[in-house]
Amino acid sequence: MGVHVGGKVSGAHMNAAVTITMCTFGRLAWRMLPVYLFAQLLGSFLAAGTIYAVYYEAIHDYCGGNLTVVGDRATAGIFATYPAPYLSLQAGFIDQVFGTGMLLLCLMALSDLKNKPAAAGSEPVAVGLLVLLIGISLGSNSGYAINPNRDIAPRVFTAIAGWGADVFRAGHGWWWVPLVAPPIGGVLGAGLYKALVELHHPFLSEQGEGLLDESKEDIGPLDNHKNNCADACV
């Protein structure tokens, strides 16, 4: 739904890993990075506060007023991600790199007009299904943050709201993994797509360009179409 709300305005970047990747590959100016990161962090923090307000009574009824990070009645996992008991930091780091890499690899494909992009108007559904599929297939280890600000801002909120510093100590200091690993995975996933797919697209021949010029009234300007699709897909 965020793509519907902000797709034509900002590209609907709700994920810092996506924004950093787009800057790395020249799809977004680096000067815009602080603006996007601030908006994403603020949005995530306010979202956590909204959920806490809406479910305040349910949370306190469930935990008996004892806000804990681990244990049978732990509730911090409502807001931020925490690793499964069996997961090491190294394996969790790989988990987040791989999950975010898959996200950005597929987003690159969805916005690649020379491949099989999402049909115009279907980009929000395609992106939503992509995130759902990653969650279903890769979410059991640590809740698939695949987004630094989706994790760190709510974690800070819970630290302030009563869960305390345990939100940073839990999981052997897990908090830094969903902060650092997703941007690395995003750049690797997008780079993999560019290296193995995008860079190998055939160039338009002069004849092909002439045909394209003749048919541009039917398909619209290619550059505008590309920008619109890319904006809606990321």
Side-chain angles (χ1 to χ4, degrees):
M1 301 315 300
V3 178
H4 281 295
V5 173
K8 295 295 184 181
V9 179
S10 65
H13 289 209
M14 295 168 283
N15 185 337
V18 172
T19 303
I20 292 170
T21 301
M22 295 301 107
C23 289
T24 300
F25 290 98
R27 295 194 176 190
L28 182 70
W30 282 104
R31 69 177 184 276
M32 296 301 297
L33 181 62
V35 178
Y36 276 64
L37 294 185
F38 175 77
Q40 292 160 354
L41 288 168
L42 178 62
S44 297
F45 188 87
L46 293 177
T50 301
I51 294 301
Y52 183 67
V54 171
Y55 288 101
Y56 177 85
E57 292 182 347
I59 291 171
H60 283 266
D61 178 71
Y62 177 77
C63 68
N66 184 24
L67 302 176
T68 58
V69 179
V70 296
D72 292 337
R73 296 285 179 174
T75 48
I78 296 171
F79 300 91
T81 65
Y82 294 89
Y86 58 80
L87 193 70
S88 66
L89 286 178
Q90 295 87 346
F93 192 91
I94 294 172
D95 172 84
Q96 287 300 292
V97 168
F98 181 73
T100 316
M102 291 299 297
L103 173 67
L104 267 297
L105 185 151
C106 294
L107 284 177
M108 294 288 282
L110 288 174
S111 61
D112 186 355
L113 292 181
K114 292 183 179 180
N115 197 348
K116 290 289 290 182
S122 71
E123 297 94 340
V125 174
V127 173
L129 287 175
L130 170 60
V131 175
L132 175 64
L133 289 171
I134 291 174
I136 292 172
S137 59
L138 299 173
S140 62
N141 278 334
S142 61
Y144 79 109
I146 60 173
N147 181 351
N149 43 43
R150 167 262 178 275
D151 191 89
I152 190 63
R155 193 179 300 272
V156 171
F157 174 84
T158 52
I160 297 171
W163 283 264
D166 283 346
V167 300
F168 295 102
R169 290 192 287 259
H172 304 289
W174 166 261
W175 68 271
W176 66 270
V177 174
L179 186 64
V180 175
I184 296 174
V187 172
L188 290 176
L192 188 66
Y193 182 84
K194 288 185 72 72
L196 299 183
V197 179
E198 190 173 297
L199 293 178
H200 301 282
H201 289 321
F203 291 102
L204 287 173
S205 64
E206 292 184 2
Q207 180 181 5
E209 290 176 345
L211 292 173
L212 181 61
D213 289 338
E214 293 176 3
S215 61
K216 65 181 180 181
E217 293 183 359
D218 293 330
I219 64 174
L222 180 59
D223 288 341
N224 290 339
H225 187 191
K226 181 177 181 180
N227 290 335
N228 290 342
C229 183
D231 283 345
C233 287
V234 298

